[in-house]
Amino acid sequence: MVAFILKRLVQSVFVMLAVAFLAFSLFKFVGDPISQMTGVETSIEDQERLREELGLNDPFFVQFARFTGDMLQGDFGYSFRTREPIGEMLLSRLPATLELGTVALVISLIVGIPAGVYTALRPRGLVSQSILIATLIGVSIPTFVIGILLIFLFGVQLGWLPTYGRGGTVEIGWWRSSLFTVEGWRSHVLPALTLGLFQLTLTMRLVRAQMMEVMRTDHIRFAIARGVPWRSIRYRHALSNTMIPVITVIGLQFGGVIAFSIVTESVFQWPGMGLLFLESIRFVDIPVMSVYLVVIAFFFVIINLLVDLLYLAIDPRLRVRESV
Amino acid sequence: MMVLNMDKCPDTLPQAAANHREGVMFRTTFSAAAIAVSTTALSAFPAAAESFSWAGTTDPQTMDPHAVNAAPVLSFLNNIYEGLVRRGPDMGVEPSLATSWEALPDGAGWRFTLREGVTFHDGAAFNADDVIFSYERAASEASDVRSWFAPVTEVVRVDDFTVDFLTAAPNPLFPGSIANFMILDSDWAAGNGAELPARDAENFATRNANGTGPFSLAGRDPGIETRLVPNEGWWDMAEHNLTEAVFTPIGNPATGLAALLSGEIDFISPIPLQDVEQVESRDGFKVLSGLETRVIMLGFGHDHETLKYSEETTDANPFLDARVRLAVAQAIDVATIDRVIMRDAAEPASQLLPEGLSGWSAAHAERPTFDAEAAKTLLAEAGYPDGFSFGLMCPNDRYINDEAVCRAVASMLARVGIEANVNAMPVRGYWDELRSDNFDMYLLGWSPGTFDAEHPIRFLAHTPNERLGTWNFGGFSSARIDELLEPIQQEIDEAARQAMIDEVAGILQEEVAYVPLYTEPLIWAMKESVEVVQRPDNFFMLRWVTVN
C-alpha cells in the first residue's frame, strides 16, 4: 500500500516536469512580458535592461533549468505583473477554487445520484423524460452562457443573489473561507450551479445507465426471485454496484472542475486560481502561468491517486487481489 | 443628464504661478462633451456621506507610483499620492504639493515652492527632502517613469520648501509633464526598505502606500479588492462626500455590467459601447460619454522595401508612394465607421492628437475627404490600377471595437481595389509583432501623456532610435521633423512654438505619414445618484465623486 502510494508520487514528479516543459515551450507564443510590464514612454534601453535582469534573453533551456531548479527547491519565483511571491499568490487563491469546486461537486452528487436512480427505475415516466430533456439542454449550453443567464435572472432581474465575488470571508489560519458566512453561501449558489451543472448531468446519466445495467444482472434477478424487499434491492444491492465506475468518473471530473473552473471564475469574478491564471495570460505573466500549470498537474495526480485508493475501499475484490 | 462645459479653471492660483502657467496651460476648448459633469441626482438616497464601490477592468498591479508607468496604476494612485502639480477637471495644470513654480533665468530649469504644513498619511511632515528623495527614486534605473526626468540634470534643495529642477535646455513643458510624478515620504520608504521601486521581487511599497493625497490605503488584496478611506488631514478642501471607497477589478464586461445593474457597485468604467442603450434604458442608471485624448490611426511600413503579406508578388512596397497612402486616407469613410461601429460616440481626427490639446494645429484641421473615386484615380496614377493585397495588423482587445474597425477599413479599401488581409491578435503579443516589423499596415491608438503636440512628434514622428521615435514602428522619417523636435521642446514663445508644430503637422499630413481616423470615446456607467468628473485622460479621481 505504502509502496503503491510512493510509486505514484514519484511518477507525479515526472508528470509535472513534462507539463512544465510543455507549458514553458509554449509561452513564447503568448506574447512579450516586457511590453506588458513597462509603460509606453519607457525607452528601448530600459526595456532591454529589464529583459536582461529577468533573464529573458537566456536560451530556452537555461530558463527552463533555472525554473525547475528553483521549483525543486521550493522557490516558486515572483510574478512579473505584481512582483508578489507566486507561492503565496496561489495559496491565497486556492481556498476560493477548492471551496467552489467542492460545493459544485456536492450539488452535482446530491441532485445527480437520486435523479439518476429515479430515471433508471422509471425510465418511461413523464418526470424522467422531462429530467432527461432538461439535462440535455444543460450540457449543450456553454458554461459562460449559463453563468450569464443565471446572473441576469437571479442577480439583476430578481435581485436575489450576488452577481460576483465571494461575499464575506472568514480567515482560519491562512485559509480564507467563505463557507461560514450567509453572504458567502449566497455568493456560492450561482457559480456552483454553473460549474456543477455539467458534472450533475454527467453523474445523473452515468448513474442511470449503470443502474439500468445492474438491474438486469443475475444477482439482482435472483434477489427479486427470492423476495428481497424492493428497497433493499435498489439501494443496497443495485446502487452500491453502480457506484464503482461512477466514482472513477466523478473523481477524475473533480480534477477537471478544479482545473477548468477558469470560465466560471471569470464570469463570476470569483477570486480563485483560474481567474488568476486568466489575468496572468493577459499580462504574459510567465512565471505565474508556469507554476499554475504545474500545480494543476499535481492536483490531477493526487486526485487520480485518491480515486485508486477509494477503489480499494469500495471494491473488496481489488483488496483481495492486492493482498495476494 | 446635463453637460456642463467647465471652461474656466478654478482661479485659485497665486499670481506668481499664474504668470508662468500661460506657457504650459492647456487650451480650454477641449470639446464640451469630454469634460462633462453629471448633475442629475436620484432622491432615493439621503444626501449624506456614502461608501462607494467602483469597478474597472484592470487591477492596478502595484501601489508603487514609480514602478509601472501605466494608466491603471497612475490613475488609481493619484487618489493616494500627489505630485508637485496636478491636473484639474479640464486637464489644466494647477498647484498641488507645490504652491507655485517659476522658470529659472536663462532657461536653466524650474523652481518649485512647496506647500507648508502638509503631512503624509502616517503623520510625517512633507518637505524638500521628500521631493529630492522621490526624484532620485523615480529617476533611478529601477523606475519605469524615469523618462519623465530625461531633461533634468540635477535637483537642488534651496531650502526646506524650495526645490530647483535644473534642465540642460529650456523646458517650458516641464511642470505639466511631471503631473503624475508622485511624492513619497523619504523616511517611510527608507525605513521599510523601499528606497527603490521593486524590480523582480516585491517590496514594502508594492502593497502599502503612504501619500499626502485625499485618500489613504486601508486594505489591499491584489486582484480582488482595494479599499480606500478619506484622509481627514488632507491639506485641500474635500469635494467628495465618501466615507469609504472600494475598488474591485472585474475583467469580464458582462459581469461588470451585471454588477452595476444589480446595484452591487456604483460605478464602472469602461462599459462596451453596445451596452450603453441597456444601461440608459434602466431607471436609476446613467452613462457618461465623452472623448478620451486618444487618437486611433493607421500606420504604414515606411521603411519596408516590399510588402510582407501580399498574395501576389509586387516589386516595391506600394505604400512607399505618398499617393497610395493618400488614396488609403481618401478611401476610408470615417463618418460611417463612427456611426456604425462607434455608435456616434467618436470624433473624426485630422492629426496625431485630438482637437483641444495644446499644440493642436488649427491650420491642419481638415482630414482628407472621403472620395472613393479620387482614391482609385490616385492608385491608377501610382501604377496600381488593379490594386494589390497586403496585411493589416490589428489588436483585438486594446481599443474600443478595434477589430471591427479594422474589418470595416478593409472592406472600404476593397471598394477601391486594394485588399487588406486583417490579422487581429491580443495586445499582449501585438507590440512585439510590430517591433519585429510584421505588418504592411497597422492600427495604433495614441494618447499623449503630456497632453501636448510634442509628445506624438517625439514618439511617433521622429526617426526611430534608442530614445526617440520608439513607437514609430513603420520607421517614418523626415529630416525636417527631426530637426524641429528639439526647438519645439525648448521654445518658450508660444507663437513661435506653434508655428513649428504647425509645420510638423503640415509635413505629416502632406506625406500622409499616418492616417488619423478618430478620437476614441470614453464610456463610463454609474448609478443615477453618483456624480463624477470625467477627465479626458480617463483618470478616475475620487476627490470629485459625490453620492447623493
Side-chain angles (χ1 to χ4, degrees):
Chain A
M1 183 77 165
V2 177
F4 171 74
I5 294 177
L6 278 178
K7 203 172 80 187
R8 293 295 292 268
L9 284 177
V10 171
Q11 281 173 359
S12 73
V13 173
F14 287 99
V15 171
M16 289 190 287
L17 268 179
V19 168
F21 181 80
L22 282 175
F24 225 76
S25 51
L26 288 175
F27 286 148
K28 62 169 183 275
F29 300 108
V30 176
D32 176 23
I34 299 297
S35 69
Q36 298 297 311
M37 292 172 77
T38 53
V40 292
E41 291 166 335
T42 308
S43 71
I44 307 280
E45 281 172 84
D46 286 344
Q47 290 187 20
E48 279 311 313
R49 201 159 34 76
L50 183 60
R51 200 184 295 276
E52 192 63 45
E53 275 177 35
L54 295 174
L56 291 169
N57 283 337
D58 297 342
F60 170 78
F61 283 99
V62 175
Q63 292 191 42
F64 181 67
R66 190 168 46 220
F67 172 73
T68 43
D70 289 349
M71 279 281 274
L72 289 174
Q73 292 168 32
D75 176 7
F76 289 9
Y78 294 90
S79 156
F80 282 173
R81 182 170 60 100
T82 65
R83 271 81 158 171
E84 284 174 273
I86 294 169
E88 202 181 294
M89 256 172 131
L90 285 176
L91 216 55
S92 77
R93 298 293 190 106
L94 182 69
T97 299
L98 283 185
E99 286 183 357
L100 179 62
T102 309
V103 173
L105 182 74
V106 169
I107 290 180
S108 74
L109 293 183
I110 289 178
V111 182
I113 295 177
V117 172
Y118 181 86
T119 49
L121 297 178
R122 293 218 171 82
R124 265 172 275 281
L126 189 66
V127 180
S128 294
Q129 290 298 322
S130 339
I131 291 177
L132 286 174
I133 291 172
T135 54
L136 202 64
I137 297 170
V139 274
S140 46
I141 304 177
T143 312
F144 70 91
V145 177
I146 293 174
I148 288 178
L149 285 177
L150 289 176
I151 288 176
F152 270 83
L153 183 60
F154 293 103
V156 178
Q157 295 300 339
L158 299 170
W160 292 348
L161 295 165
T163 57
Y164 78 95
R166 287 181 85 189
T169 53
V170 176
E171 285 190 34
I172 306 164
W174 60 269
W175 186 282
R176 208 182 326 167
S177 172
S178 59
L179 293 176
F180 296 94
T181 60
V182 177
E183 205 40 47
W185 273 104
R186 276 164 39 87
S187 302
H188 265 96
V189 178
L190 297 182
L193 268 182
T194 308
L195 186 60
L197 194 62
F198 182 76
Q199 182 92 341
L200 188 157
T201 51
L202 188 80
T203 310
M204 195 201 86
R205 282 169 179 270
L206 208 67
V207 169
R208 176 172 177 269
Q210 282 297 319
M211 189 84 176
M212 289 170 91
E213 185 92 17
V214 172
M215 288 303 279
R216 282 196 292 270
T217 54
D218 290 343
H219 77 280
I220 298 291
R221 288 177 184 215
F222 282 125
I224 296 171
R226 214 180 142 222
V228 176
W230 273 110
R231 173 170 291 272
S232 174
I233 290 175
R234 284 173 185 166
Y235 301 109
R236 206 178 111 72
H237 300 285
L239 187 59
S240 60
N241 273 298
T242 24
M243 287 319 282
I244 292 177
V246 172
I247 284 174
T248 320
V249 175
I250 290 173
L252 293 179
Q253 277 285 313
F254 185 63
V257 167
I258 297 293
F260 305 116
S261 60
I262 293 176
V263 175
T264 309
E265 288 188 8
S266 147
V267 169
F268 289 92
Q269 193 64 28
W270 190 267
M273 297 199 302
L275 190 63
L276 180 67
F277 183 61
L278 269 192
E279 285 164 11
S280 305
I281 294 178
R282 195 149 69 98
F283 282 89
V284 201
D285 199 342
I286 292 174
V288 177
M289 289 192 280
S290 321
V291 176
Y292 171 83
L293 290 177
V294 171
V295 167
I296 289 296
F298 179 71
F299 273 144
F300 265 95
V301 171
I302 293 296
I303 287 168
N304 280 0
L305 181 64
L306 288 178
V307 169
D308 285 350
L309 294 177
L310 219 60
Y311 257 31
L312 291 179
I314 290 182
D315 193 337
R317 287 170 299 183
L318 289 175
R319 249 172 300 172
V320 175
R321 207 179 298 155
E322 191 80 2
S323 59
V324 171
Chain B
M1 191 187 81
M2 233 177 86
V3 174
L4 299 180
N5 188 0
M6 306 250 322
D7 256 351
K8 301 275 184 292
C9 293
D11 206 0
T12 53
L13 284 174
Q15 210 49 45
N19 290 339
H20 292 282
R21 274 179 59 208
E22 294 302 316
V24 293
M25 219 179 70
F26 214 73
R27 281 175 46 141
T28 49
T29 50
F30 199 85
S31 62
I35 309 143
V37 181
S38 58
T39 53
T40 38
L42 194 73
S43 52
F45 299 91
E50 292 286 342
S51 173
F52 176 74
S53 167
W54 90 106
T57 41
T58 309
D59 193 48
Q61 33 190 304
T62 173
M63 293 290 110
D64 189 325
H66 306 147
V68 183
N69 183 0
V73 175
L74 298 180
S75 166
F76 192 90
L77 291 181
N78 258 296
N79 293 307
I80 300 174
Y81 287 103
E82 290 174 302
L84 296 175
V85 305
R86 67 183 186 193
R87 291 189 184 274
D90 59 353
M91 300 298 300
V93 176
E94 45 178 69
S96 184
L97 289 181
T99 51
S100 64
W101 50 94
E102 57 184 350
L104 294 169
D106 306 324
W110 287 83
R111 169 163 296 182
F112 291 86
T113 306
L114 306 183
R115 193 177 295 278
E116 299 187 27
V118 174
T119 54
F120 287 93
H121 296 151
D122 69 353
F126 159 77
N127 64 29
D129 294 332
D130 300 314
V131 177
I132 307 269
F133 170 79
S134 299
Y135 159 73
E136 280 165 0
R137 192 175 191 273
S140 72
E141 286 207 335
S143 157
D144 194 37
V145 299
R146 63 197 296 253
S147 65
W148 297 340
F149 300 100
V152 177
T153 50
E154 201 191 344
V155 178
V156 179
R157 178 200 153 104
V158 179
D159 60 46
D160 263 4
F161 291 97
T162 311
V163 174
D164 285 351
F165 281 74
L166 305 181
T167 54
N171 196 326
L173 285 178
F174 184 70
S177 75
I178 55 163
N180 288 326
F181 161 48
M182 296 175 231
I183 308 291
L184 277 77
D185 179 26
S186 55
D187 295 331
W188 177 80
N192 290 299
E195 293 92 340
L196 291 174
R199 196 67 169 169
D200 44 4
E202 66 178 349
N203 66 29
F204 191 73
T206 312
R207 275 197 254 183
N208 299 279
N210 180 34
T212 56
F215 287 83
S216 63
L217 186 63
R220 165 83 173 146
D221 205 345
I224 301 174
E225 187 182 274
T226 307
R227 199 170 280 274
L228 303 179
V229 291
N231 169 13
E232 298 303 334
W234 191 37
W235 56 269
D236 201 3
M237 213 182 64
E239 292 173 53
H240 66 83
N241 67 343
L242 309 179
T243 51
E244 183 190 46
V246 182
F247 175 78
T248 310
I250 300 184
N252 189 317
T255 310
L257 185 67
L260 176 71
L261 296 181
S262 68
E264 285 162 271
I265 55 169
D266 303 308
F267 172 96
I268 185 163
S269 145
I271 60 162
L273 268 174
Q274 53 269 27
D275 291 334
V276 168
E277 262 171 62
Q278 203 194 342
V279 175
E280 283 180 333
S281 69
R282 282 177 192 252
D283 279 343
F285 298 96
K286 65 185 173 187
V287 171
L288 196 53
S289 100
L291 290 176
E292 202 183 349
T293 48
R294 189 182 304 282
V295 169
I296 304 292
M297 62 190 89
L298 294 171
F300 302 99
H302 293 278
D303 57 359
H304 296 185
E305 299 282 316
T306 54
L307 289 178
K308 276 205 159 184
Y309 301 94
S310 184
E311 275 153 22
E312 60 291 318
T313 39
T314 31
D315 297 333
N317 175 5
F319 295 122
L320 294 178
D321 189 329
R323 287 172 297 186
V324 177
R325 303 198 292 268
L326 183 60
V328 169
Q330 292 203 316
I332 297 171
D333 182 1
V334 174
T336 299
I337 292 180
D338 181 24
R339 185 166 44 81
V340 177
I341 301 173
M342 306 307 286
R343 301 190 181 220
D344 274 330
E347 190 72 40
S350 60
Q351 295 162 39
L352 306 187
L353 74 167
E355 181 173 356
L357 294 202
S358 81
W360 183 79
S361 174
H364 300 91
E366 287 294 312
R367 65 184 316 286
T369 43
F370 166 58
D371 186 344
E373 286 312 311
K376 277 186 200 163
T377 315
L378 276 168
L379 284 171
E381 271 176 34
Y384 301 98
D386 304 322
F388 55 90
S389 70
F390 65 97
L392 170 57
M393 288 292 263
C394 192
N396 60 16
D397 58 355
R398 177 64 189 85
Y399 312 113
I400 298 173
N401 296 339
D402 38 15
E403 187 177 353
V405 168
C406 281
R407 304 229 172 261
V409 164
S411 73
M412 287 169 180
L413 293 179
R415 258 180 268 157
V416 301
I418 48 179
E419 192 191 329
N421 304 313
V422 177
N423 183 1
M425 63 174 64
V427 71
R428 58 173 187 266
Y430 188 62
W431 306 130
D432 209 25
E433 288 292 316
L434 295 190
R435 287 206 192 285
S436 316
D437 272 347
N438 292 331
F439 63 86
D440 294 323
M441 191 196 275
Y442 61 93
L443 188 82
L444 175 72
W446 195 258
S447 176
T450 54
F451 308 100
D452 180 87
E454 178 269 342
H455 195 271
I457 297 174
R458 172 159 40 116
F459 286 98
L460 303 180
H462 193 281
T463 308
N465 60 34
E466 282 286 290
R467 289 170 175 279
L468 301 168
T470 47
W471 286 70
N472 180 0
F473 299 113
F476 173 78
S477 181
S478 153
R480 181 65 184 147
I481 290 179
D482 294 357
E483 191 179 289
L484 282 171
L485 178 62
E486 213 166 272
I488 287 173
Q489 289 172 334
Q490 297 173 3
E491 181 58 60
I492 291 165
D493 179 71
E494 216 176 334
R497 181 173 193 271
Q498 189 62 45
M500 291 188 281
I501 290 174
D502 283 350
E503 188 181 343
V504 172
I507 297 171
L508 291 174
Q509 276 191 350
E510 196 178 321
E511 292 282 321
V512 203
Y514 291 89
V515 178
L517 297 174
Y518 55 84
T519 306
E520 192 168 69
L522 267 185
I523 314 285
W524 294 4
M526 66 210 85
K527 286 182 182 165
E528 196 85 57
S529 56
V530 174
E531 286 171 33
V532 302
V533 173
Q534 188 175 48
R535 224 166 68 172
D537 59 354
N538 202 10
F539 276 25
F540 181 67
M541 297 287 100
L542 286 170
R543 64 188 159 104
W544 295 313
V545 175
T546 53
V547 180
N548 293 304

